[in-house]
Amino acid sequence: MVDVRNFRYDDLDRIAEIVSSSLGEYYPKSLYLEKSRDWEDGFIVGVENGRVVAMLLGIIQGRFETRILMFAVDKRFRRKGIGHELMNRFISLSMAREAKRISLEVRRSNLEAIRFYEKYGFQNTGVLLMYYSDLEDGLKMAKNI
Ligand code: ACO
């Protein structure tokens, strides 16, 4: 059973590990803290047996929109409903902030994540050509809430 809670400073090493293995990116701790500064509640983790196994970092994007910047579940813990728990919590947090829309960007080749987002009602809203550092296109997706 996963427990979803707000991130804590001492989770950051584990979060960086999950981001690096799942998203192929390594960011310094300062980046997570900077991104979460405006909305600490939007940075949540999934914990199983005392261990952080998933993370979702969301930010505020204008008055009525939130944006998912990073979302990843440790590979060994996928397809167990943990992503579902984090997404549901994030939708509730966004609604509590009176957001009307949630947006995100995902790699065009990341069909697993695209299918996941579609399941939650996200729709394709555009393409960002050569958006990633390796020049892969990004897909913009959004959902009204
Ligand atoms: N293929 C098809 N449908 C899927 C898949 C998949 N690989 N994974 C999940 N789903 C759908 C299914 O309908 C699933 O329900 P089911 O298992 O009952 O069929 C439902 O989503 C919920 O699945 P969860 O188990 O809750 O999802 P999970 O915990 O595996 O997390 C996530 C999904 C976050 C996309 C995970 O696969 C992951 O970490 N992927 C690698 C990192 C990544 O791509 N992150 C998103 C990048 S974009 C961004 O960060 C803004």
Side-chain angles (χ1 to χ4, degrees):
M1 188 62 188
V2 69
D3 173 34
V4 178
R5 63 159 170 80
N6 207 210
F7 97 102
R8 296 197 292 247
Y9 185 82
D10 60 2
D11 295 330
L12 286 178
D13 284 335
R14 181 67 189 130
I15 287 169
E17 221 173 86
I18 295 170
V19 168
S20 133
S21 61
S22 298
L23 299 173
E25 308 281 358
Y26 182 81
Y27 302 111
K29 286 183 185 174
S30 56
L31 186 279
Y32 295 99
L33 296 173
E34 184 202 316
K35 296 292 181 193
S36 67
R37 196 171 296 140
D38 289 342
W39 187 29
E40 283 198 19
D41 287 350
F43 192 0
I44 52 179
V45 294
V47 179
E48 223 179 63
N49 297 322
R51 185 166 170 78
V52 172
V53 296
M55 62 79 66
L56 188 159
L57 170 54
I59 59 169
I60 293 167
Q61 179 100 356
R63 174 72 181 87
F64 294 112
E65 184 168 326
T66 60
R67 178 172 162 207
I68 299 176
L69 267 195
M70 291 178 222
F71 181 26
V73 175
D74 182 324
K75 198 175 183 121
R76 293 162 291 182
F77 294 84
R78 289 184 197 154
R79 294 312 290 259
K80 294 172 64 184
I82 295 175
H84 170 79
E85 293 295 329
L86 265 73
M87 178 57 82
N88 277 349
R89 178 68 62 89
F90 187 73
I91 292 169
S92 300
L93 288 165
S94 298
M95 289 169 91
R97 276 213 59 103
E98 299 182 352
K100 305 285 180 237
R101 188 173 191 261
I102 301 175
S103 61
L104 59 88
E105 284 91 45
V106 58
R107 283 178 182 269
R108 213 172 188 173
S109 65
N110 191 348
L111 298 180
E112 288 191 1
I114 292 168
R115 277 188 205 118
F116 174 93
Y117 291 131
E118 283 172 347
K119 176 160 178 165
Y120 292 90
F122 284 83
Q123 292 181 333
N124 181 350
T125 57
V127 174
L128 297 158
L129 291 174
M130 300 189 285
Y131 181 66
Y132 293 96
S133 52
D134 59 3
L135 303 184
E136 179 171 351
D137 295 345
L139 200 62
K140 289 168 69 169
M141 299 187 85
K143 165 190 170 62
N144 291 330
I145 55 173

PDB file of all heavy atoms in Angstrom, residues 60-95:
ATOM      1  N   ILE A  60       3.060  25.748 -10.381  1.00  0.00           N
ATOM      2  CA  ILE A  60       1.941  26.613 -10.759  1.00  0.00           C
ATOM      3  C   ILE A  60       2.309  27.333 -12.044  1.00  0.00           C
ATOM      4  O   ILE A  60       3.419  27.859 -12.180  1.00  0.00           O
ATOM      5  CB  ILE A  60       1.681  27.642  -9.648  1.00  0.00           C
ATOM      6  CG1 ILE A  60       1.182  26.908  -8.408  1.00  0.00           C
ATOM      7  CG2 ILE A  60       0.667  28.679 -10.097  1.00  0.00           C
ATOM      8  CD1 ILE A  60       1.200  27.751  -7.174  1.00  0.00           C
ATOM      9  N   GLN A  61       1.357  27.303 -12.979  1.00  0.00           N
ATOM     10  CA  GLN A  61       1.618  27.909 -14.282  1.00  0.00           C
ATOM     11  C   GLN A  61       0.501  28.929 -14.521  1.00  0.00           C
ATOM     12  O   GLN A  61      -0.539  28.584 -15.081  1.00  0.00           O
ATOM     13  CB  GLN A  61       1.571  26.782 -15.329  1.00  0.00           C
ATOM     14  CG  GLN A  61       1.785  27.186 -16.733  1.00  0.00           C
ATOM     15  CD  GLN A  61       3.206  26.901 -17.160  1.00  0.00           C
ATOM     16  OE1 GLN A  61       4.040  26.473 -16.376  1.00  0.00           O
ATOM     17  NE2 GLN A  61       3.504  27.160 -18.389  1.00  0.00           N
ATOM     18  N   GLY A  62       0.686  30.114 -14.045  1.00  0.00           N
ATOM     19  CA  GLY A  62      -0.388  31.101 -14.199  1.00  0.00           C
ATOM     20  C   GLY A  62      -1.466  30.895 -13.143  1.00  0.00           C
ATOM     21  O   GLY A  62      -1.387  29.991 -12.323  1.00  0.00           O
ATOM     22  N   ARG A  63      -2.498  31.706 -13.211  1.00  0.00           N
ATOM     23  CA  ARG A  63      -3.524  31.738 -12.169  1.00  0.00           C
ATOM     24  C   ARG A  63      -4.354  30.450 -12.100  1.00  0.00           C
ATOM     25  O   ARG A  63      -4.706  29.985 -11.027  1.00  0.00           O
ATOM     26  CB  ARG A  63      -4.431  32.967 -12.426  1.00  0.00           C
ATOM     27  CG  ARG A  63      -5.636  33.086 -11.535  1.00  0.00           C
ATOM     28  CD  ARG A  63      -5.255  33.470 -10.111  1.00  0.00           C
ATOM     29  NE  ARG A  63      -6.435  33.548  -9.271  1.00  0.00           N
ATOM     30  CZ  ARG A  63      -6.977  32.526  -8.611  1.00  0.00           C
ATOM     31  NH1 ARG A  63      -6.441  31.332  -8.704  1.00  0.00           N
ATOM     32  NH2 ARG A  63      -8.047  32.690  -7.872  1.00  0.00           N
ATOM     33  N   PHE A  64      -4.670  29.859 -13.255  1.00  0.00           N
ATOM     34  CA  PHE A  64      -5.614  28.742 -13.259  1.00  0.00           C
ATOM     35  C   PHE A  64      -5.030  27.448 -13.828  1.00  0.00           C
ATOM     36  O   PHE A  64      -5.767  26.607 -14.323  1.00  0.00           O
ATOM     37  CB  PHE A  64      -6.876  29.132 -14.042  1.00  0.00           C
ATOM     38  CG  PHE A  64      -7.657  30.226 -13.372  1.00  0.00           C
ATOM     39  CD1 PHE A  64      -7.730  31.489 -13.953  1.00  0.00           C
ATOM     40  CD2 PHE A  64      -8.283  30.007 -12.160  1.00  0.00           C
ATOM     41  CE1 PHE A  64      -8.442  32.505 -13.332  1.00  0.00           C
ATOM     42  CE2 PHE A  64      -8.996  31.011 -11.523  1.00  0.00           C
ATOM     43  CZ  PHE A  64      -9.077  32.276 -12.111  1.00  0.00           C
ATOM     44  N   GLU A  65      -3.714  27.324 -13.797  1.00  0.00           N
ATOM     45  CA  GLU A  65      -3.122  26.123 -14.394  1.00  0.00           C
ATOM     46  C   GLU A  65      -1.986  25.593 -13.532  1.00  0.00           C
ATOM     47  O   GLU A  65      -1.224  26.367 -12.961  1.00  0.00           O
ATOM     48  CB  GLU A  65      -2.603  26.466 -15.799  1.00  0.00           C
ATOM     49  CG  GLU A  65      -2.045  25.265 -16.542  1.00  0.00           C
ATOM     50  CD  GLU A  65      -1.806  25.559 -18.020  1.00  0.00           C
ATOM     51  OE1 GLU A  65      -2.579  26.349 -18.626  1.00  0.00           O
ATOM     52  OE2 GLU A  65      -0.829  25.027 -18.571  1.00  0.00           O
ATOM     53  N   THR A  66      -1.898  24.272 -13.447  1.00  0.00           N
ATOM     54  CA  THR A  66      -0.719  23.659 -12.851  1.00  0.00           C
ATOM     55  C   THR A  66      -0.036  22.829 -13.935  1.00  0.00           C
ATOM     56  O   THR A  66      -0.649  22.492 -14.953  1.00  0.00           O
ATOM     57  CB  THR A  66      -1.078  22.761 -11.646  1.00  0.00           C
ATOM     58  OG1 THR A  66      -1.940  21.721 -12.084  1.00  0.00           O
ATOM     59  CG2 THR A  66      -1.727  23.562 -10.529  1.00  0.00           C
ATOM     60  N   ARG A  67       1.222  22.519 -13.690  1.00  0.00           N
ATOM     61  CA  ARG A  67       1.973  21.801 -14.726  1.00  0.00           C
ATOM     62  C   ARG A  67       2.810  20.703 -14.074  1.00  0.00           C
ATOM     63  O   ARG A  67       3.481  20.968 -13.066  1.00  0.00           O
ATOM     64  CB  ARG A  67       2.876  22.802 -15.446  1.00  0.00           C
ATOM     65  CG  ARG A  67       3.741  22.194 -16.507  1.00  0.00           C
ATOM     66  CD  ARG A  67       4.437  23.292 -17.275  1.00  0.00           C
ATOM     67  NE  ARG A  67       5.568  22.781 -17.993  1.00  0.00           N
ATOM     68  CZ  ARG A  67       6.633  23.484 -18.313  1.00  0.00           C
ATOM     69  NH1 ARG A  67       6.717  24.765 -17.975  1.00  0.00           N
ATOM     70  NH2 ARG A  67       7.617  22.949 -18.976  1.00  0.00           N
ATOM     71  N   ILE A  68       2.761  19.522 -14.635  1.00  0.00           N
ATOM     72  CA  ILE A  68       3.588  18.422 -14.121  1.00  0.00           C
ATOM     73  C   ILE A  68       4.949  18.519 -14.796  1.00  0.00           C
ATOM     74  O   ILE A  68       5.073  18.346 -16.003  1.00  0.00           O
ATOM     75  CB  ILE A  68       2.933  17.058 -14.406  1.00  0.00           C
ATOM     76  CG1 ILE A  68       1.570  16.970 -13.710  1.00  0.00           C
ATOM     77  CG2 ILE A  68       3.854  15.934 -13.944  1.00  0.00           C
ATOM     78  CD1 ILE A  68       0.783  15.696 -14.015  1.00  0.00           C
ATOM     79  N   LEU A  69       5.959  18.812 -13.994  1.00  0.00           N
ATOM     80  CA  LEU A  69       7.313  18.960 -14.546  1.00  0.00           C
ATOM     81  C   LEU A  69       8.031  17.621 -14.613  1.00  0.00           C
ATOM     82  O   LEU A  69       8.749  17.341 -15.567  1.00  0.00           O
ATOM     83  CB  LEU A  69       8.142  19.868 -13.631  1.00  0.00           C
ATOM     84  CG  LEU A  69       8.236  21.347 -13.882  1.00  0.00           C
ATOM     85  CD1 LEU A  69       9.381  21.909 -13.075  1.00  0.00           C
ATOM     86  CD2 LEU A  69       8.393  21.680 -15.351  1.00  0.00           C
ATOM     87  N   MET A  70       7.897  16.829 -13.550  1.00  0.00           N
ATOM     88  CA  MET A  70       8.563  15.520 -13.499  1.00  0.00           C
ATOM     89  C   MET A  70       7.652  14.543 -12.788  1.00  0.00           C
ATOM     90  O   MET A  70       7.045  14.891 -11.767  1.00  0.00           O
ATOM     91  CB  MET A  70       9.855  15.605 -12.673  1.00  0.00           C
ATOM     92  CG  MET A  70      10.957  16.383 -13.277  1.00  0.00           C
ATOM     93  SD  MET A  70      12.336  16.392 -12.072  1.00  0.00           S
ATOM     94  CE  MET A  70      12.820  18.098 -12.238  1.00  0.00           C
ATOM     95  N   PHE A  71       7.613  13.350 -13.349  1.00  0.00           N
ATOM     96  CA  PHE A  71       6.747  12.321 -12.767  1.00  0.00           C
ATOM     97  C   PHE A  71       7.405  10.980 -13.048  1.00  0.00           C
ATOM     98  O   PHE A  71       7.663  10.636 -14.205  1.00  0.00           O
ATOM     99  CB  PHE A  71       5.368  12.406 -13.441  1.00  0.00           C
ATOM    100  CG  PHE A  71       4.343  11.431 -12.945  1.00  0.00           C
ATOM    101  CD1 PHE A  71       4.384  10.906 -11.665  1.00  0.00           C
ATOM    102  CD2 PHE A  71       3.289  11.051 -13.765  1.00  0.00           C
ATOM    103  CE1 PHE A  71       3.404  10.033 -11.208  1.00  0.00           C
ATOM    104  CE2 PHE A  71       2.303  10.181 -13.328  1.00  0.00           C
ATOM    105  CZ  PHE A  71       2.364   9.674 -12.048  1.00  0.00           C
ATOM    106  N   ALA A  72       7.717  10.214 -12.020  1.00  0.00           N
ATOM    107  CA  ALA A  72       8.362   8.924 -12.254  1.00  0.00           C
ATOM    108  C   ALA A  72       8.127   7.969 -11.086  1.00  0.00           C
ATOM    109  O   ALA A  72       8.122   8.360  -9.925  1.00  0.00           O
ATOM    110  CB  ALA A  72       9.866   9.113 -12.455  1.00  0.00           C
ATOM    111  N   VAL A  73       7.941   6.716 -11.466  1.00  0.00           N
ATOM    112  CA  VAL A  73       7.828   5.630 -10.491  1.00  0.00           C
ATOM    113  C   VAL A  73       9.040   4.722 -10.712  1.00  0.00           C
ATOM    114  O   VAL A  73       9.365   4.395 -11.867  1.00  0.00           O
ATOM    115  CB  VAL A  73       6.515   4.829 -10.721  1.00  0.00           C
ATOM    116  CG1 VAL A  73       6.445   3.628  -9.790  1.00  0.00           C
ATOM    117  CG2 VAL A  73       5.296   5.733 -10.537  1.00  0.00           C
ATOM    118  N   ASP A  74       9.708   4.352  -9.641  1.00  0.00           N
ATOM    119  CA  ASP A  74      10.843   3.417  -9.716  1.00  0.00           C
ATOM    120  C   ASP A  74      10.399   2.204 -10.552  1.00  0.00           C
ATOM    121  O   ASP A  74       9.331   1.645 -10.328  1.00  0.00           O
ATOM    122  CB  ASP A  74      11.190   2.987  -8.280  1.00  0.00           C
ATOM    123  CG  ASP A  74      12.374   2.048  -8.213  1.00  0.00           C
ATOM    124  OD1 ASP A  74      12.539   1.191  -9.111  1.00  0.00           O
ATOM    125  OD2 ASP A  74      13.149   2.154  -7.251  1.00  0.00           O
ATOM    126  N   LYS A  75      11.243   1.819 -11.489  1.00  0.00           N
ATOM    127  CA  LYS A  75      10.899   0.755 -12.446  1.00  0.00           C
ATOM    128  C   LYS A  75      10.355  -0.509 -11.769  1.00  0.00           C
ATOM    129  O   LYS A  75       9.419  -1.143 -12.236  1.00  0.00           O
ATOM    130  CB  LYS A  75      12.166   0.401 -13.241  1.00  0.00           C
ATOM    131  CG  LYS A  75      11.891  -0.322 -14.504  1.00  0.00           C
ATOM    132  CD  LYS A  75      13.155  -0.533 -15.315  1.00  0.00           C
ATOM    133  CE  LYS A  75      12.777  -1.202 -16.613  1.00  0.00           C
ATOM    134  NZ  LYS A  75      13.108  -0.506 -17.786  1.00  0.00           N
ATOM    135  N   ARG A  76      10.943  -0.864 -10.624  1.00  0.00           N
ATOM    136  CA  ARG A  76      10.542  -2.108  -9.935  1.00  0.00           C
ATOM    137  C   ARG A  76       9.143  -2.017  -9.332  1.00  0.00           C
ATOM    138  O   ARG A  76       8.604  -3.002  -8.855  1.00  0.00           O
ATOM    139  CB  ARG A  76      11.550  -2.427  -8.828  1.00  0.00           C
ATOM    140  CG  ARG A  76      12.922  -2.797  -9.368  1.00  0.00           C
ATOM    141  CD  ARG A  76      13.969  -2.677  -8.308  1.00  0.00           C
ATOM    142  NE  ARG A  76      14.195  -1.279  -7.944  1.00  0.00           N
ATOM    143  CZ  ARG A  76      15.091  -0.870  -7.066  1.00  0.00           C
ATOM    144  NH1 ARG A  76      15.823  -1.745  -6.424  1.00  0.00           N
ATOM    145  NH2 ARG A  76      15.233   0.424  -6.802  1.00  0.00           N
ATOM    146  N   PHE A  77       8.590  -0.799  -9.301  1.00  0.00           N
ATOM    147  CA  PHE A  77       7.300  -0.605  -8.627  1.00  0.00           C
ATOM    148  C   PHE A  77       6.195  -0.154  -9.581  1.00  0.00           C
ATOM    149  O   PHE A  77       5.142   0.272  -9.135  1.00  0.00           O
ATOM    150  CB  PHE A  77       7.463   0.415  -7.486  1.00  0.00           C
ATOM    151  CG  PHE A  77       8.344  -0.084  -6.375  1.00  0.00           C
ATOM    152  CD1 PHE A  77       9.727   0.032  -6.462  1.00  0.00           C
ATOM    153  CD2 PHE A  77       7.791  -0.701  -5.254  1.00  0.00           C
ATOM    154  CE1 PHE A  77      10.539  -0.443  -5.447  1.00  0.00           C
ATOM    155  CE2 PHE A  77       8.597  -1.174  -4.236  1.00  0.00           C
ATOM    156  CZ  PHE A  77       9.977  -1.050  -4.335  1.00  0.00           C
ATOM    157  N   ARG A  78       6.444  -0.270 -10.880  1.00  0.00           N
ATOM    158  CA  ARG A  78       5.428   0.198 -11.836  1.00  0.00           C
ATOM    159  C   ARG A  78       4.293  -0.818 -12.002  1.00  0.00           C
ATOM    160  O   ARG A  78       4.427  -1.966 -11.661  1.00  0.00           O
ATOM    161  CB  ARG A  78       6.085   0.471 -13.198  1.00  0.00           C
ATOM    162  CG  ARG A  78       6.951   1.698 -13.128  1.00  0.00           C
ATOM    163  CD  ARG A  78       7.550   2.075 -14.468  1.00  0.00           C
ATOM    164  NE  ARG A  78       8.663   2.986 -14.226  1.00  0.00           N
ATOM    165  CZ  ARG A  78       9.701   3.153 -15.027  1.00  0.00           C
ATOM    166  NH1 ARG A  78       9.769   2.499 -16.172  1.00  0.00           N
ATOM    167  NH2 ARG A  78      10.663   3.997 -14.692  1.00  0.00           N
ATOM    168  N   ARG A  79       3.210  -0.351 -12.585  1.00  0.00           N
ATOM    169  CA  ARG A  79       2.006  -1.158 -12.854  1.00  0.00           C
ATOM    170  C   ARG A  79       1.421  -1.742 -11.577  1.00  0.00           C
ATOM    171  O   ARG A  79       0.855  -2.833 -11.579  1.00  0.00           O
ATOM    172  CB  ARG A  79       2.310  -2.279 -13.850  1.00  0.00           C
ATOM    173  CG  ARG A  79       2.666  -1.821 -15.254  1.00  0.00           C
ATOM    174  CD  ARG A  79       1.764  -0.803 -15.874  1.00  0.00           C
ATOM    175  NE  ARG A  79       0.438  -1.217 -16.261  1.00  0.00           N
ATOM    176  CZ  ARG A  79       0.056  -1.512 -17.496  1.00  0.00           C
ATOM    177  NH1 ARG A  79       0.901  -1.449 -18.476  1.00  0.00           N
ATOM    178  NH2 ARG A  79      -1.191  -1.846 -17.751  1.00  0.00           N
ATOM    179  N   LYS A  80       1.585  -1.007 -10.473  1.00  0.00           N
ATOM    180  CA  LYS A  80       0.977  -1.442  -9.209  1.00  0.00           C
ATOM    181  C   LYS A  80       0.007  -0.386  -8.684  1.00  0.00           C
ATOM    182  O   LYS A  80      -0.408  -0.446  -7.533  1.00  0.00           O
ATOM    183  CB  LYS A  80       2.074  -1.664  -8.160  1.00  0.00           C
ATOM    184  CG  LYS A  80       3.019  -2.821  -8.474  1.00  0.00           C
ATOM    185  CD  LYS A  80       4.172  -2.859  -7.497  1.00  0.00           C
ATOM    186  CE  LYS A  80       3.680  -3.126  -6.078  1.00  0.00           C
ATOM    187  NZ  LYS A  80       4.737  -3.085  -5.081  1.00  0.00           N
ATOM    188  N   GLY A  81      -0.275   0.609  -9.514  1.00  0.00           N
ATOM    189  CA  GLY A  81      -1.227   1.628  -9.088  1.00  0.00           C
ATOM    190  C   GLY A  81      -0.606   2.813  -8.359  1.00  0.00           C
ATOM    191  O   GLY A  81      -1.323   3.698  -7.889  1.00  0.00           O
ATOM    192  N   ILE A  82       0.723   2.856  -8.284  1.00  0.00           N
ATOM    193  CA  ILE A  82       1.361   3.966  -7.552  1.00  0.00           C
ATOM    194  C   ILE A  82       1.254   5.264  -8.347  1.00  0.00           C
ATOM    195  O   ILE A  82       0.919   6.327  -7.799  1.00  0.00           O
ATOM    196  CB  ILE A  82       2.832   3.610  -7.214  1.00  0.00           C
ATOM    197  CG1 ILE A  82       2.836   2.429  -6.247  1.00  0.00           C
ATOM    198  CG2 ILE A  82       3.571   4.817  -6.634  1.00  0.00           C
ATOM    199  CD1 ILE A  82       4.206   1.876  -5.913  1.00  0.00           C
ATOM    200  N   GLY A  83       1.499   5.183  -9.654  1.00  0.00           N
ATOM    201  CA  GLY A  83       1.332   6.374 -10.500  1.00  0.00           C
ATOM    202  C   GLY A  83      -0.093   6.903 -10.400  1.00  0.00           C
ATOM    203  O   GLY A  83      -0.316   8.120 -10.314  1.00  0.00           O
ATOM    204  N   HIS A  84      -1.041   5.994 -10.369  1.00  0.00           N
ATOM    205  CA  HIS A  84      -2.455   6.350 -10.242  1.00  0.00           C
ATOM    206  C   HIS A  84      -2.695   7.158  -8.944  1.00  0.00           C
ATOM    207  O   HIS A  84      -3.363   8.190  -8.954  1.00  0.00           O
ATOM    208  CB  HIS A  84      -3.251   5.039 -10.237  1.00  0.00           C
ATOM    209  CG  HIS A  84      -4.687   5.170  -9.896  1.00  0.00           C
ATOM    210  ND1 HIS A  84      -5.618   5.599 -10.793  1.00  0.00           N
ATOM    211  CD2 HIS A  84      -5.357   4.932  -8.732  1.00  0.00           C
ATOM    212  CE1 HIS A  84      -6.815   5.618 -10.204  1.00  0.00           C
ATOM    213  NE2 HIS A  84      -6.677   5.232  -8.952  1.00  0.00           N
ATOM    214  N   GLU A  85      -2.116   6.679  -7.847  1.00  0.00           N
ATOM    215  CA  GLU A  85      -2.302   7.375  -6.553  1.00  0.00           C
ATOM    216  C   GLU A  85      -1.705   8.782  -6.613  1.00  0.00           C
ATOM    217  O   GLU A  85      -2.298   9.743  -6.111  1.00  0.00           O
ATOM    218  CB  GLU A  85      -1.634   6.587  -5.413  1.00  0.00           C
ATOM    219  CG  GLU A  85      -2.274   5.250  -5.122  1.00  0.00           C
ATOM    220  CD  GLU A  85      -3.703   5.370  -4.593  1.00  0.00           C
ATOM    221  OE1 GLU A  85      -4.014   6.360  -3.920  1.00  0.00           O
ATOM    222  OE2 GLU A  85      -4.510   4.465  -4.887  1.00  0.00           O
ATOM    223  N   LEU A  86      -0.524   8.895  -7.190  1.00  0.00           N
ATOM    224  CA  LEU A  86       0.109  10.221  -7.259  1.00  0.00           C
ATOM    225  C   LEU A  86      -0.676  11.164  -8.170  1.00  0.00           C
ATOM    226  O   LEU A  86      -0.864  12.339  -7.842  1.00  0.00           O
ATOM    227  CB  LEU A  86       1.562  10.103  -7.733  1.00  0.00           C
ATOM    228  CG  LEU A  86       2.590  10.049  -6.597  1.00  0.00           C
ATOM    229  CD1 LEU A  86       2.547   8.713  -5.893  1.00  0.00           C
ATOM    230  CD2 LEU A  86       3.993  10.333  -7.089  1.00  0.00           C
ATOM    231  N   MET A  87      -1.122  10.625  -9.302  1.00  0.00           N
ATOM    232  CA  MET A  87      -1.888  11.468 -10.232  1.00  0.00           C
ATOM    233  C   MET A  87      -3.185  11.944  -9.574  1.00  0.00           C
ATOM    234  O   MET A  87      -3.536  13.121  -9.652  1.00  0.00           O
ATOM    235  CB  MET A  87      -2.170  10.690 -11.520  1.00  0.00           C
ATOM    236  CG  MET A  87      -2.997  11.448 -12.528  1.00  0.00           C
ATOM    237  SD  MET A  87      -2.256  13.033 -13.020  1.00  0.00           S
ATOM    238  CE  MET A  87      -1.074  12.461 -14.252  1.00  0.00           C
ATOM    239  N   ASN A  88      -3.883  11.028  -8.899  1.00  0.00           N
ATOM    240  CA  ASN A  88      -5.134  11.434  -8.235  1.00  0.00           C
ATOM    241  C   ASN A  88      -4.878  12.512  -7.192  1.00  0.00           C
ATOM    242  O   ASN A  88      -5.628  13.473  -7.086  1.00  0.00           O
ATOM    243  CB  ASN A  88      -5.802  10.230  -7.575  1.00  0.00           C
ATOM    244  CG  ASN A  88      -6.621   9.456  -8.575  1.00  0.00           C
ATOM    245  OD1 ASN A  88      -6.839   9.920  -9.686  1.00  0.00           O
ATOM    246  ND2 ASN A  88      -7.065   8.281  -8.189  1.00  0.00           N
ATOM    247  N   ARG A  89      -3.818  12.336  -6.430  1.00  0.00           N
ATOM    248  CA  ARG A  89      -3.511  13.341  -5.412  1.00  0.00           C
ATOM    249  C   ARG A  89      -3.184  14.680  -6.071  1.00  0.00           C
ATOM    250  O   ARG A  89      -3.607  15.730  -5.620  1.00  0.00           O
ATOM    251  CB  ARG A  89      -2.316  12.877  -4.548  1.00  0.00           C
ATOM    252  CG  ARG A  89      -1.899  13.896  -3.487  1.00  0.00           C
ATOM    253  CD  ARG A  89      -2.937  14.074  -2.380  1.00  0.00           C
ATOM    254  NE  ARG A  89      -3.129  12.818  -1.673  1.00  0.00           N
ATOM    255  CZ  ARG A  89      -2.398  12.459  -0.611  1.00  0.00           C
ATOM    256  NH1 ARG A  89      -1.498  13.275  -0.134  1.00  0.00           N
ATOM    257  NH2 ARG A  89      -2.582  11.292  -0.035  1.00  0.00           N
ATOM    258  N   PHE A  90      -2.437  14.607  -7.177  1.00  0.00           N
ATOM    259  CA  PHE A  90      -2.050  15.859  -7.830  1.00  0.00           C
ATOM    260  C   PHE A  90      -3.274  16.570  -8.405  1.00  0.00           C
ATOM    261  O   PHE A  90      -3.363  17.802  -8.343  1.00  0.00           O
ATOM    262  CB  PHE A  90      -0.999  15.608  -8.925  1.00  0.00           C
ATOM    263  CG  PHE A  90      -0.471  16.888  -9.487  1.00  0.00           C
ATOM    264  CD1 PHE A  90       0.400  17.667  -8.744  1.00  0.00           C
ATOM    265  CD2 PHE A  90      -0.884  17.351 -10.727  1.00  0.00           C
ATOM    266  CE1 PHE A  90       0.857  18.892  -9.230  1.00  0.00           C
ATOM    267  CE2 PHE A  90      -0.434  18.569 -11.216  1.00  0.00           C
ATOM    268  CZ  PHE A  90       0.440  19.338 -10.468  1.00  0.00           C
ATOM    269  N   ILE A  91      -4.201  15.821  -8.946  1.00  0.00           N
ATOM    270  CA  ILE A  91      -5.434  16.441  -9.470  1.00  0.00           C
ATOM    271  C   ILE A  91      -6.176  17.127  -8.319  1.00  0.00           C
ATOM    272  O   ILE A  91      -6.621  18.274  -8.443  1.00  0.00           O
ATOM    273  CB  ILE A  91      -6.316  15.383 -10.182  1.00  0.00           C
ATOM    274  CG1 ILE A  91      -5.621  14.901 -11.463  1.00  0.00           C
ATOM    275  CG2 ILE A  91      -7.700  15.953 -10.508  1.00  0.00           C
ATOM    276  CD1 ILE A  91      -6.257  13.682 -12.126  1.00  0.00           C
ATOM    277  N   SER A  92      -6.277  16.462  -7.173  1.00  0.00           N
ATOM    278  CA  SER A  92      -6.960  17.069  -6.008  1.00  0.00           C
ATOM    279  C   SER A  92      -6.236  18.334  -5.546  1.00  0.00           C
ATOM    280  O   SER A  92      -6.881  19.351  -5.245  1.00  0.00           O
ATOM    281  CB  SER A  92      -6.997  16.103  -4.827  1.00  0.00           C
ATOM    282  OG  SER A  92      -7.674  14.959  -5.172  1.00  0.00           O
ATOM    283  N   LEU A  93      -4.913  18.270  -5.496  1.00  0.00           N
ATOM    284  CA  LEU A  93      -4.140  19.445  -5.061  1.00  0.00           C
ATOM    285  C   LEU A  93      -4.347  20.605  -6.029  1.00  0.00           C
ATOM    286  O   LEU A  93      -4.459  21.768  -5.626  1.00  0.00           O
ATOM    287  CB  LEU A  93      -2.645  19.095  -4.992  1.00  0.00           C
ATOM    288  CG  LEU A  93      -2.217  18.174  -3.850  1.00  0.00           C
ATOM    289  CD1 LEU A  93      -0.820  17.630  -4.111  1.00  0.00           C
ATOM    290  CD2 LEU A  93      -2.254  18.923  -2.523  1.00  0.00           C
ATOM    291  N   SER A  94      -4.404  20.288  -7.318  1.00  0.00           N
ATOM    292  CA  SER A  94      -4.584  21.326  -8.333  1.00  0.00           C
ATOM    293  C   SER A  94      -5.976  21.946  -8.206  1.00  0.00           C
ATOM    294  O   SER A  94      -6.131  23.169  -8.297  1.00  0.00           O
ATOM    295  CB  SER A  94      -4.404  20.734  -9.739  1.00  0.00           C
ATOM    296  OG  SER A  94      -3.096  20.236  -9.888  1.00  0.00           O
ATOM    297  N   MET A  95      -6.971  21.104  -7.969  1.00  0.00           N
ATOM    298  CA  MET A  95      -8.335  21.624  -7.814  1.00  0.00           C
ATOM    299  C   MET A  95      -8.418  22.499  -6.560  1.00  0.00           C
ATOM    300  O   MET A  95      -9.085  23.548  -6.571  1.00  0.00           O
ATOM    301  CB  MET A  95      -9.333  20.472  -7.733  1.00  0.00           C
ATOM    302  CG  MET A  95      -9.506  19.770  -9.060  1.00  0.00           C
ATOM    303  SD  MET A  95     -10.423  18.251  -8.946  1.00  0.00           S
ATOM    304  CE  MET A  95     -12.048  18.841  -9.225  1.00  0.00           C
TER     305      MET A  95
END
